Amino acid sequence: MLNLIVLYLLLRHFLIKPVMEVMNKRQAMIENSISNAKNSEGQAAEMKKQYEDKLAESSKEGLKIIEEAKNQAKVQYDRILENAEEEAGRVIGEAQRKAEADQEKALNEAKAQIAGLVIAAAAKVVNQEASAMANKALYDSFIAEAGDSHDAGSN
């Protein structure tokens, strides 16, 4: 029995104690690895959350940029449209002024032509009246001479 007790004490001192220490070290190492894995998993989850937040923020910022670009495009479109309307109004006004000037010029030319025709017609009428008076005087003198000769031939 004493041999068994001595054997047990020796085994315990030289075999069981070192094996237990190795097992405790391994258990501590495994627990440490598990703890590190959990920390890494937590860090990975945090990084994933940050990435997703940044992705969502980037998406919102992209939509904001697109909306801003649309607004700027609308402002530019409105400005171009306004400039085009102003230019069209200017061109139309200029065309109207030119048309009015052309109309006024044509009216003045027509008035000048009518005045010339009136003057020519008046001159012609005056010449015809003068000619008619001269013709009447000539006729009257012819009649008077003819009457005188007719009266003289009958005597």
Side-chain angles (χ1 to χ4, degrees):
M1 219 37 178
L2 186 62
N3 278 340
L4 269 176
I5 292 177
V6 171
L7 183 63
Y8 171 74
L9 288 176
L10 282 173
L11 283 177
R12 187 174 154 206
H13 181 66
F14 289 112
L15 184 65
I16 294 177
K17 195 173 182 183
V19 169
M20 288 303 280
E21 285 179 12
V22 168
M23 286 178 67
N24 285 337
K25 284 181 184 177
R26 283 199 174 186
Q27 186 176 3
M29 189 172 77
I30 290 171
E31 286 175 359
N32 190 18
S33 293
I34 290 173
S35 175
N36 287 339
K38 284 182 182 179
N39 287 340
S40 295
E41 185 179 333
Q43 288 175 351
E46 182 64 30
M47 288 176 68
K48 180 182 176 188
K49 185 178 182 294
Q50 288 175 356
Y51 172 75
E52 288 173 351
D53 290 345
K54 284 183 181 180
L55 186 62
E57 185 178 320
S58 295
S59 179
K60 286 179 184 177
E61 189 173 326
L63 291 174
K64 182 180 176 184
I65 289 171
I66 289 171
E67 189 64 32
E68 188 175 310
K70 284 181 183 179
N71 290 338
Q72 287 177 352
K74 181 169 179 12
V75 166
Q76 188 173 6
Y77 170 78
D78 290 343
R79 186 177 54 234
I80 289 170
L81 188 62
E82 182 179 320
N83 289 343
E85 287 175 354
E86 287 175 5
E87 181 68 19
R90 187 185 61 77
V91 168
I92 289 170
E94 197 173 297
Q96 285 177 341
R97 284 189 295 280
K98 187 172 185 213
E100 288 172 1
D102 289 346
Q103 184 180 10
E104 186 69 29
K105 183 179 176 185
L107 186 61
N108 289 338
E109 287 176 2
K111 283 180 181 180
Q113 287 178 354
I114 290 171
L117 290 173
V118 167
I119 290 172
K124 199 171 190 180
V125 167
V126 168
N127 282 340
Q128 283 180 353
E129 283 182 16
S131 180
M133 284 186 187
N135 285 340
K136 186 175 183 199
L138 192 60
Y139 178 71
D140 286 342
S141 76
F142 174 73
I143 295 287
E145 283 181 26
D148 287 336
S149 30
H150 183 42
D151 288 335
S154 17
N155 281 359

